[in-house]
Amino acid sequence: IDTAPATIDVLEEVCHAVAGRVEVYLDGGVRRGTDVFKALALGATAVFLGRPVLWALSYNGEDGVVEMLDMINEELRLTMALAGCVNISDISRNHVRMLAQPRL
């Protein structure tokens, strides 16, 4: 499956396909607050964090996870501020630009 597209690359297509009938959650590839921002801008309702949680647990247990979540939240807050977004609902597709992906 090494030629499968990344979840962020197909997120917008999935959101268009479901046309608001269901919520869309992004799982995979989220490492920073900027990744959360991009996913929300492309139509995700929320994101899941997998590996960052495991890395944080191995670093410092529960306190490591709290620290990691604080970092993700702060990065998201900063990204929103730089983009002129006060609320999550202010994030829109206009805030990101996706490069065309070649179809294999």
Side-chain angles (χ1 to χ4, degrees):
I1 305 183
D2 53 337
T3 59
T7 54
I8 193 76
D9 293 332
V10 295
L11 175 60
E12 190 171 28
E13 183 178 348
V14 169
C15 291
H16 285 303
V18 300
R21 293 186 301 270
V22 296
E23 293 182 339
V24 176
Y25 302 96
L26 180 76
D27 187 20
V30 178
R31 305 289 183 265
R32 295 179 290 282
T34 54
D35 298 328
V36 176
F37 184 89
K38 288 182 276 187
L40 295 172
L42 293 171
T45 303
V47 301
F48 294 117
L49 300 170
R51 289 182 190 167
V53 172
L54 296 176
W55 296 330
L57 274 171
S58 66
Y59 162 69
N60 197 23
E62 182 181 346
D63 290 340
V65 174
V66 170
E67 184 178 343
M68 179 273 302
L69 290 172
D70 287 344
M71 289 171 62
I72 297 274
N73 282 327
E74 181 58 23
E75 290 169 359
L76 175 58
R77 188 202 63 74
L78 178 60
T79 303
M80 288 175 59
L82 291 171
C85 299
V86 176
N87 301 303
I88 295 288
S89 60
D90 295 335
I91 301 172
S92 74
R93 177 63 178 88
N94 294 329
H95 290 103
V96 295
R97 184 176 69 131
M98 298 292 290
L99 301 176
Q101 298 294 319
R103 294 272 191 207
L104 299 177

